[in-house]
Amino acid sequence: ANRTILDKNFRRKGLQVRPRSRTLTSVHEAMLEDVVGPTEIFGKRTRIGVDGSKLLKVILDPKDKDKENVEAKLATFSAVYKKLTNKEAVFQFPEV
């Protein structure tokens, strides 16, 4: 989908308020939903390392684990999200 991110000084573009759908966070969330495709996101955790680096852990729906070889696509999801948003993300299924 074609999404637009408006920065903090959006008033220069003649807008009164910045819609929530145009914020950086909401656009990245929508991209995350699009990247995982046929599966659903079950939960999200942000892990902050000792050095200050952020890692987004995305837990996918366990009932989608065995359909359409999603297990093999987890590394691909991570690479695509990194390329689009420049953020590190790890996709996994919850441990039972």
Side-chain angles (χ1 to χ4, degrees):
N2 189 10
R3 296 193 175 86
T4 306
I5 300 172
L6 292 176
D7 57 349
K8 291 275 196 188
N9 54 4
F10 56 91
R11 295 202 202 292
R12 284 190 302 167
K13 296 179 178 66
L15 298 169
Q16 295 297 314
V17 292
R18 177 172 60 162
R20 294 277 181 236
S21 64
R22 303 285 198 283
T23 62
L24 179 84
T25 307
S26 70
V27 168
H28 284 186
E29 289 291 320
M31 282 183 187
L32 188 64
E33 286 284 338
D34 290 345
V35 164
V36 296
T39 67
E40 294 292 319
I41 294 176
F42 200 64
K44 283 184 286 232
R45 308 282 184 274
T46 303
R47 184 164 192 276
I48 301 174
V50 181
D51 59 344
S53 62
K54 290 183 180 179
L55 176 70
L56 182 68
K57 287 189 173 185
V58 181
I59 297 114
L60 300 175
D61 200 353
K63 68 175 178 269
D64 296 332
K65 192 171 188 173
D66 36 305
K67 72 174 189 184
E68 294 185 33
N69 64 355
V70 175
E71 193 94 50
K73 295 179 186 174
L74 296 180
T76 308
F77 290 162
S78 185
V80 168
Y81 188 71
K82 169 78 172 153
K83 193 75 171 171
L84 289 173
T85 63
N86 205 20
K87 291 182 180 176
E88 293 290 336
V90 174
F91 295 87
Q92 60 193 24
F93 288 102
E95 290 84 31
V96 179

